[in-house]
Amino acid sequence: MASSGLTETGELYSPVFGMIYVFNLIVGTGALTMPLAFARAGWAMGGALIAILAFASFLTVTFVVEAMASANAVMRFKRKEKQRELEDSSSSSQDTVESPYLHEVESDEKKSLLHPPVAGTSCRNKKHQDYFEITERVEMAKMASLFFNKIGVNLFYLCMAIYLYGDLAIYAVTVPTSLRNITCTYKPENSSAHDDDPCWDGADITRINVYRIYLSLFSVALGIFAFFNVQKTKYLQLLTTFLRWLAFSMMIVLALIVLGNGKGEGDPIAVGAFESIPNFFGVCVYSFMCHHSLPSMVTPIKRKNRLSALLAGDYALILGFYLLLSLTAIFTFSTRSIQEIYTLNFFGSGSVATQVVPVQYFIGLFPVFTLSTNFPIIAITLRNNLKMLFAREGRPYPWAVDRIVFPLLALLPGIIVAFITTNVTELVGYTGSYAGAGIQYVIPAFLVYCGRKKTEKLFGQNWNNKHRSPFKHKAWVVIVLLWAVLCIGFVTANHIITATHHE
């Protein structure tokens, strides 16, 4: 999740483990809503769109990596300059006679630092190239403060806050919905259960009221952490990683067993309704999102000389994983029976290949115990971003504002949205289409552009960033921004047309 400032790199790990962490970071909540969105878009159109969006996400990930290297170089340059000024001040205060030769050497060194030679032209150039090593973790917020003006920084925090609000709303809907659908046993004949149906046979309480009870308990139990500071431990991350792999593998294998036995009930279409594209776009953007957390994953990697190739392999693997998950879903289940949260398709008496109750409960409860561990982290991250957005020129906030108002501002909007709607697919779609597109396309494009301008100013136009994106031509930045404008405009126009037709 997003945070501000520079933090310690932490324990180093190999490139392979780094790519595993990136894979686990990307494959999360969005994957649970992917099958239904894919079914509505159609296997041909959905397959083409998801491939295009995977490439677009990978492109901007390389932009973020380049911006991280540029930020490291700028910070090292500023520290060197500050150190040089302190040394100059110290030496000038001494009542000694300077040697003209020494003064000339110092001037040459300073000139070399400000305007390094073209890459590969001297031994000293290798020393300067170390400026671009990614050894310090620089979050996107820190990069924004280095490269953007005040308006740009505020827009960054605003976009990040909107995205995190969407994240919290999605989590606040997904967990209570999973609990409600697992605990409610009433099943109407020849139809799916609705919100107004009773939760249990002979009970007066409806499914929607049970959902609201679970939402209230979830909000109190996990929302309280937003008032404190907690950190995700390494062991908790390893545990949730293992559970994620186990749950998704089970769903894919169970669906393949059903198809292998010839019991699939799927009725997939090649091209779905035009209205399904905007929501599918938002789901895909959300499902490929890792840009805001990339510095935490990439910085501790020991050897970073082939980062772009490793990230490309990761994205190809994730694309294949999403296609496998979605294709097995649409051929195993009919479009009408695919749940908004895909794990719920494997709970109860359905067409799944197992009636082993512990397995059903494990898959059904998977969103509960994985998303619940992330909810406090996201809430705290959002709280901190809100503090930065409303920063008071270095002045501290009053205790009540800092410890009560900001945590409530972080929690309440998402929880209120969760009380209003239970449509997690639409929430994912809207979050990905707008704030997600900003974080995945617009911000990386401006970061890499401004980062290049900054490093050119400090190191000269011919200087080479060793982690420069393979898409280094300026045209790629323009293409990404145009793509973002086109997608957001298309999604907005479609929402307006759909709303007009429904009136």
Side-chain angles (χ1 to χ4, degrees):
M1 287 293 113
S3 62
S4 60
L6 184 65
T7 57
E8 295 297 326
T9 300
E11 183 180 351
L12 299 179
Y13 42 73
S14 68
V16 174
F17 275 102
M19 295 307 100
I20 291 174
Y21 287 150
V22 172
F23 181 94
N24 294 331
L25 174 67
I26 296 176
V27 179
T29 319
L32 300 179
T33 60
M34 177 73 73
L36 179 58
F38 190 88
R40 290 172 174 172
W43 60 265
M45 184 167 65
L49 284 174
I50 196 174
I52 294 171
L53 292 168
F55 171 75
S57 182
F58 165 70
L59 191 160
T60 52
V61 156
T62 65
F63 282 177
V64 174
V65 172
E66 180 181 336
M68 288 166 56
S70 297
N72 271 259
V74 170
M75 290 189 301
R76 287 192 182 95
F77 179 89
K78 289 183 176 181
R79 283 198 296 267
K80 289 284 187 181
E81 281 296 283
K82 186 175 182 179
Q83 181 181 359
R84 185 180 298 275
E85 289 174 0
L86 290 174
E87 290 174 354
D88 289 346
S89 175
S90 176
S91 62
S92 64
S93 65
Q94 297 176 2
D95 188 18
T96 58
V97 179
E98 289 187 353
S99 166
Y101 175 74
L102 179 62
H103 180 75
E104 182 180 348
V105 170
E106 290 179 347
S107 298
D108 288 343
E109 288 181 352
K110 192 167 184 179
K111 181 178 180 182
S112 175
L113 180 65
L114 289 172
H115 301 287
V118 179
T121 58
S122 72
C123 295
R124 183 177 292 181
N125 182 58
K126 187 177 185 303
K127 177 182 176 182
H128 284 291
Q129 197 173 16
D130 292 340
Y131 275 73
F132 291 89
E133 289 285 356
I134 303 175
T135 57
E136 296 181 81
R137 193 174 88 185
V138 189
E139 303 289 358
M140 287 185 77
K142 179 65 176 180
M143 287 187 270
S145 66
L146 285 173
F147 300 144
F148 296 165
N149 57 26
K150 186 175 181 180
I151 295 176
V153 171
N154 287 335
L155 289 175
F156 165 82
Y157 280 114
L158 180 62
C159 182
M160 187 65 71
I162 294 172
Y163 175 78
L164 293 175
Y165 272 128
D167 242 3
L168 288 179
I170 291 165
Y171 283 30
V173 169
T174 303
V175 172
T177 299
S178 297
L179 290 171
R180 186 270 310 272
N181 286 12
I182 288 173
T183 55
C184 288
T185 57
Y186 173 78
K187 301 292 182 184
E189 295 182 3
N190 302 323
S191 67
S192 58
H194 297 89
D195 285 345
D196 294 331
D197 291 331
C199 187
W200 300 280
D201 289 313
D204 293 331
I205 187 169
T206 62
R207 289 168 57 86
I208 189 62
N209 286 332
V210 171
Y211 163 83
R212 289 167 179 159
I213 292 172
Y214 280 131
L215 175 57
S216 300
L217 294 174
F218 172 82
S219 303
V220 173
L222 294 177
I224 192 69
F225 289 103
F227 295 85
F228 306 99
N229 288 313
V230 295
Q231 295 293 331
K232 186 187 294 184
T233 65
K234 175 182 177 181
Y235 298 105
L236 181 60
Q237 182 182 6
L238 291 175
L239 176 62
T240 55
T241 295
F242 170 75
L243 295 176
R244 181 184 292 112
W245 276 84
L246 184 60
F248 280 114
S249 298
M250 282 182 173
M251 288 186 285
I252 292 174
V253 170
L254 290 174
L256 287 173
I257 292 174
V258 171
L259 294 176
N261 292 334
K263 297 180 180 179
E265 300 175 355
D267 51 353
I269 55 176
V271 179
F274 184 77
E275 293 79 10
S276 65
I277 297 178
N279 186 70
F280 185 70
F281 165 77
V283 169
C284 286
V285 170
Y286 189 83
S287 299
F288 284 110
M289 180 68 69
C290 71
H291 303 61
H292 54 312
S293 300
L294 199 64
S296 303
M297 301 292 105
V298 169
T299 306
I301 296 176
K302 293 179 182 177
R303 300 176 298 278
K304 305 182 181 72
N305 53 323
R306 299 182 62 217
L307 268 181
S308 295
L310 290 170
L311 287 168
D314 232 349
Y315 265 83
L317 180 63
I318 293 166
L319 173 61
F321 176 82
Y322 282 161
L323 287 173
L324 180 60
L325 181 71
S326 300
L327 289 171
T328 54
I330 65 175
F331 281 96
T332 302
F333 305 99
S334 66
T335 303
R336 295 187 303 275
S337 65
I338 296 179
Q339 300 289 322
E340 287 188 320
I341 304 170
Y342 185 52
T343 51
L344 296 175
N345 277 97
F346 296 85
F347 183 82
S349 57
S351 60
V352 290
T354 180
Q355 294 301 317
V356 180
V357 175
V359 173
Q360 291 189 16
Y361 273 97
F362 171 74
I363 296 177
L365 290 172
F366 164 69
V368 176
F369 47 69
T370 55
L371 302 186
S372 295
T373 58
N374 288 336
F375 186 87
I377 308 298
I378 298 173
I380 292 169
T381 303
L382 176 56
R383 180 198 69 191
N384 294 337
N385 276 270
L386 290 174
K387 289 180 181 179
M388 296 298 295
L389 178 61
F390 299 104
R392 293 154 41 91
E393 302 292 337
R395 290 178 295 166
Y397 292 103
W399 184 90
V401 175
D402 184 67
R403 303 300 296 272
I404 298 176
V405 174
F406 277 113
L408 289 176
L409 283 177
L411 286 172
L412 291 180
I415 293 172
I416 291 172
V417 170
F419 271 104
I420 294 173
T421 180
T422 61
N423 194 327
V424 68
T425 304
E426 283 194 3
L427 284 174
V428 171
Y430 276 106
T431 302
S433 298
Y434 293 101
I439 295 173
Q440 192 166 135
Y441 300 139
V442 179
I443 291 175
F446 278 110
L447 280 177
V448 77
Y449 176 78
C450 295
R452 289 171 184 174
K453 290 294 184 182
K454 186 80 170 181
T455 51
E456 285 177 5
K457 181 179 179 181
L458 296 179
F459 297 97
Q461 292 185 351
N462 294 324
W463 191 246
N464 241 344
N465 184 338
K466 63 189 301 181
H467 293 292
R468 193 164 192 177
S469 168
F471 311 97
K472 55 188 177 183
H473 197 281
K474 294 179 181 178
W476 284 108
V477 176
V478 177
I479 290 171
V480 168
L481 291 175
L482 290 176
W483 170 254
V485 171
L486 177 66
C487 291
I488 293 174
F490 169 73
V491 169
T492 303
N494 186 267
H495 286 317
I496 294 173
I497 292 172
T498 303
T500 303
H501 287 170
H502 287 168
E503 290 180 355

